[in-house]
Amino acid sequence: MKNAIQGQRKGPYKPRVMPTDLDELQWLAKKWGADDAVAIKTSEVLTDPRVRFKCMVPKCYMSGGCGHCPPNGYTLEDVRKMLDAHDWAVFFRVKVPAPIIAAKGLGKFIADGNMDPAGNLFNLGGHYLLTFSIVKLLQKTLSEMGYVSRAGFAAGNCRDALCHFQPNCMDLATGSCRHADLSSPSMESCGMDAFTMAARQGWEVYPIGGTCEPESVGGGNLMGLVLIASENKPGLLESPTTLQHPLPPKAKTADNNLGERLKQRRKEARRSLDAMKQSQVTPALLLAMARERKIWTRFTKNLHELYGSWGKVLAKNHLMFSGQPRNKAQGC
């Protein structure tokens, strides 16, 4: 690794009083909502084909239903080539309270695509969104520092967190992701043994299944990893997501008439409301959000730091909460 990662800064990033860039990246990850973050060498990232196969045998409800979920996404060979082409990684975790991640019956609500009345699934989604945003902010910062980061990995499937109100994964249907600026594959879907890696850092980890009770686990961890290279090297693969286009282009209507545009907006709003009703979204979820307002506030601030505009933050939220009822969907 060049001296820059251990000392002098390479790029025009706002200076801080930190001994190394790696220290600064760990500090920033925690500032953006991670409960802990460490810098590790890529040789310390553990891969095991059994981790990736666990998504398919027994088959997870999302297996094959998302562009990042096995058998889609990076192969284990791709991941190992990517690790060899990078030098360091920032490994972080976001803690999730046990009453949220191990709420009774939550597994069935997740598989059915419905919100639970207590709002635990909604707030669990907020923790996943926070994890996705930390990954992208780290990659953005690395680029500003002058480093190369061709891949970032988050937790879980992005489909549930980012496209909950949509009937399909647009990446699978058209090859164009709705949220390419925020979506990342999970460590597990790429065959990384996140549990063992976390245990080696002294982090408490609990396997949480559909029959868990909150009192039986100490809490949950959503883990993310961002790779760092000091320069372009042979073998660097292009990530399936990109920071090039923060927001997809707005759909163009056939008629530019104001009345027609308003009519189209009303139609889209009704369709989104139908999708929310189908997913059992109720006003009570706003109270649930208030209980975890720290997570939602941090996620919103992260979006602003990522996009640099509150208008774009509002547009992103609109896109995440727009949808189509699954039984009425026409195309994507």
Side-chain angles (χ1 to χ4, degrees):
M1 199 70 173
K2 288 187 174 180
N3 290 335
I5 195 100
Q6 296 287 3
Q8 295 299 314
R9 185 177 312 286
K10 293 178 66 177
Y13 193 71
K14 183 179 179 181
R16 297 180 188 277
V17 183
M18 292 288 165
T20 70
D21 288 351
L22 287 175
D23 289 320
E24 181 166 355
L25 290 165
Q26 294 168 75
W27 179 84
L28 286 170
K30 287 185 276 191
K31 170 197 169 187
W32 293 324
D35 291 280
D36 203 355
V38 294
I40 60 175
K41 293 184 176 180
T42 51
S43 58
E44 299 176 69
V45 178
L46 305 179
T47 59
D48 188 326
R50 293 173 296 179
V51 178
R52 183 171 162 83
F53 275 113
K54 192 176 183 297
C55 295
M56 298 178 279
V57 183
K59 186 177 180 180
C60 170
Y61 76 97
M62 189 48 69
S63 179
C66 169
H68 288 312
C69 289
N72 306 312
Y74 286 137
T75 66
L76 201 59
E77 182 182 3
D78 289 337
V79 174
R80 286 171 175 165
K81 285 181 180 178
M82 187 75 75
L83 291 172
D84 288 341
H86 290 78
D87 306 285
W88 292 84
V90 175
F91 180 41
F92 69 88
R93 66 167 172 168
V94 171
K95 288 183 180 180
V96 187
I100 292 177
I101 200 168
K104 187 173 182 179
L106 196 64
K108 187 178 186 310
F109 284 106
I110 293 173
D112 292 342
N114 296 326
M115 295 293 177
D116 63 302
N120 291 312
L121 181 54
F122 199 73
N123 282 327
L124 177 58
H127 286 79
Y128 276 103
L129 290 172
L130 183 64
T131 306
F132 285 124
S133 70
I134 294 171
V135 169
K136 294 304 180 183
L137 280 170
L138 284 171
Q139 287 189 281
K140 178 176 181 283
T141 301
L142 282 164
S143 177
E144 292 171 350
M145 285 179 165
Y147 297 110
V148 178
S149 179
R150 284 286 186 266
F153 306 87
N157 74 82
C158 57
R159 166 109 172 57
D160 279 345
L162 294 169
C163 298
H164 185 85
F165 302 109
Q166 296 289 347
N168 53 34
C169 171
M170 185 178 280
D171 185 46
L172 288 181
T174 68
S176 177
C177 178
R178 287 186 186 92
H179 299 281
D181 58 311
L182 213 49
S183 172
S184 294
S186 71
M187 294 179 66
E188 295 86 351
S189 72
C190 295
M192 297 180 187
D193 189 349
F195 267 43
T196 300
M197 289 171 60
R200 288 184 176 181
Q201 299 302 326
W203 300 343
E204 288 188 343
V205 289
Y206 299 87
I208 298 175
T211 58
C212 274
E213 298 287 343
E215 57 271 16
S216 66
V217 297
N221 288 294
L222 304 182
M223 287 169 276
L225 185 90
V226 174
L227 302 182
I228 310 169
S230 56
E231 58 187 351
N232 278 298
K233 297 181 180 180
L236 280 176
L237 303 174
E238 286 298 327
S239 170
T241 60
T242 176
L243 287 170
Q244 300 297 321
H245 306 288
L247 294 172
K250 294 181 180 179
K252 294 182 180 179
T253 57
D255 193 329
N256 202 35
N257 179 273
L258 176 61
E260 288 297 320
R261 293 203 304 273
L262 291 174
K263 183 178 179 181
Q264 179 66 23
R265 295 293 180 270
R266 286 195 296 270
K267 182 179 178 181
E268 291 172 357
R270 285 196 299 268
R271 190 166 55 192
S272 295
L273 286 173
D274 286 343
M276 290 184 184
K277 288 178 182 177
Q278 187 183 65
S279 296
Q280 299 179 10
V281 175
T282 66
L285 290 182
L286 295 177
L287 296 176
M289 284 182 70
R291 292 197 303 270
E292 292 296 313
R293 57 187 176 277
K294 180 179 177 181
I295 293 297
W296 290 105
T297 300
R298 183 67 262 173
F299 170 63
T300 302
K301 289 180 178 179
N302 285 0
L303 287 185
H304 183 257
E305 192 150 351
L306 189 61
Y307 302 139
S309 160
W310 286 114
K312 289 183 178 179
V313 172
L314 289 173
K316 169 56 70 175
N317 277 279
H318 172 74
L319 185 61
M320 285 192 294
F321 285 92
S322 64
Q324 301 181 66
R326 291 183 289 274
N327 59 350
K328 297 179 182 179
Q330 299 294 325
C332 300

